[in-house]
Amino acid sequence: MNILNKTFVLKMPQFQKSYVKKLVNAFSLLIITKLDENKNLKQADLDEITQKFNNFLVILKLVRDDDNTCKQSLSSYYINQFKDVMQEYKIYF
């Protein structure tokens, strides 16, 4: 996908339950819309945001695979990384 002629690639994990998949798809569209509105982002910025968002999506997949018990010890780390990068680039919802 291109945003402002810059490459933006999401690596979405496969979700089996349709409601989780719909929620993640809607959230992904919201992220893309917010990034598209930010005209100051460079390719390096998009790459960093994409990496953090991909890590966040992997954690969502792991949480779902653990029946929402969140057994993965790195989950808070990656969720906070994503939150921090959104704040750093002033992308608010």
Side-chain angles (χ1 to χ4, degrees):
M1 162 180 325
N2 288 323
I3 297 175
L4 301 172
N5 296 320
K6 298 173 189 126
T7 305
F8 185 80
V9 179
L10 293 177
K11 296 177 184 171
M12 180 86 59
Q14 293 296 318
F15 291 93
Q16 298 301 321
K17 295 182 180 179
S18 63
Y19 71 92
V20 175
K21 187 173 182 176
K22 287 177 186 175
L23 178 63
V24 170
N25 286 341
F27 184 61
S28 298
L29 284 173
L30 180 62
I31 295 288
I32 291 166
T33 300
K34 289 295 184 178
L35 294 177
D36 196 32
E37 292 171 357
N38 191 330
K39 307 299 183 198
N40 299 320
L41 292 175
K42 297 179 173 97
Q43 183 64 51
D45 301 335
L46 284 175
D47 291 344
E48 181 180 10
I49 292 167
T50 300
Q51 178 190 9
K52 303 296 188 212
F53 190 49
N54 286 335
N55 291 342
F56 176 75
L57 293 175
V58 168
I59 294 302
L60 289 179
K61 171 78 168 113
L62 292 172
V63 169
R64 187 232 164 269
D65 287 351
D66 287 344
D67 293 324
N68 300 321
T69 59
C70 201
K71 297 175 188 172
Q72 313 303 323
S73 61
L74 291 176
S75 60
S76 294
Y77 172 76
Y78 286 116
I79 290 168
N80 284 327
Q81 270 197 335
F82 175 63
K83 178 185 67 102
D84 291 345
V85 78
M86 298 304 282
Q87 289 175 341
E88 177 184 343
Y89 291 105
K90 297 177 177 52
I91 300 171
Y92 303 109
F93 301 97

